Amino acid sequence: MVMRRLAGVVGSRSLPVRFAPLVDQVVSLLLSCGFSVASGGAVGADQFALSAVLRAGASSRGVVHSAWSSIAGFPSVVRADVVQFIAAGGRVVWGPASAGASRSSAVSALLGRNRRLVSASSVVVAFLHGPSRGSLYTVRQAVSRGVPVVVFLCGGGACLPPDLARHCYIFNGEVI
């Protein structure tokens, strides 16, 4: 059996920029250990992970799982990085939502993106800040599928419910 070597790096859209170096360290470590890196292309943790892959010159070892059917769906502050990522050999797994999708269609596409990312990953690393509902959904998906999960709690009241916490490796987001 061939082991998948894809690490999903996900997290809060509200993750403060002071955690970007931590995300960068984790992505660098994953790349040095032979993993490819996947993210969801959102702002915050996903954007920090994508930027780290770009800085490492490792776009060919990256995957963005998109909820969107085109570049236009990505948040405006992420689009330039996604374009650069694709131009440098990065791969995007496109989703079903158009840029002008209704809220319910967009939410459905975002949850589907999270499920696809987890299904493709051999490990998930999550950076949580605040309530992080979408990130907790992703962590829950990984736990239910038996995918190992590493969680960095990065403030803002971030926490894991006990049913998830017992299945995750948990770190204080200030330390690596």
Side-chain angles (χ1 to χ4, degrees):
M1 179 175 146
V2 176
M3 186 172 131
R4 294 176 294 164
R5 299 286 295 177
L6 182 68
V9 179
V10 302
S12 304
R13 290 183 177 107
S14 67
L15 187 67
V17 72
R18 74 177 184 272
F19 291 101
L22 176 62
V23 177
D24 195 272
Q25 285 181 308
V26 169
V27 168
S28 294
L29 177 64
L30 290 166
L31 290 169
S32 72
C33 290
F35 283 90
S36 293
V37 175
S39 82
V43 298
D46 291 12
Q47 184 178 13
F48 300 154
L50 180 58
S51 294
V53 168
L54 287 168
R55 273 192 302 285
S59 293
S60 65
R61 293 179 51 205
V63 181
V64 171
H65 286 265
S66 176
W68 314 108
S69 59
S70 71
I71 292 287
F74 285 97
S76 59
V77 297
V78 178
R79 282 186 208 136
D81 283 350
V82 174
V83 169
Q84 181 183 352
F85 172 75
I86 293 168
R91 185 169 67 96
V92 176
V93 178
W94 297 103
S98 63
S102 68
R103 177 165 166 66
S104 63
S105 293
V107 168
S108 177
L110 290 165
L111 295 175
R113 169 205 63 188
N114 295 355
R115 287 189 301 272
R116 289 191 313 275
L117 189 149
V118 167
S119 292
S121 297
S122 54
V123 63
V124 170
V125 180
F127 296 87
L128 304 183
H129 179 266
S132 303
R133 290 186 320 233
S135 299
L136 285 175
Y137 175 85
T138 304
V139 168
R140 191 171 299 286
Q141 288 294 307
V143 166
S144 72
R145 294 169 190 232
V147 176
V149 181
V150 176
V151 174
F152 289 89
L153 297 176
C154 300
C159 63
L160 283 175
D163 67 311
L164 290 181
R166 69 175 166 261
H167 297 286
C168 300
Y169 302 97
I170 304 169
F171 295 93
N172 177 329
E174 303 290 340
V175 181
I176 183 168

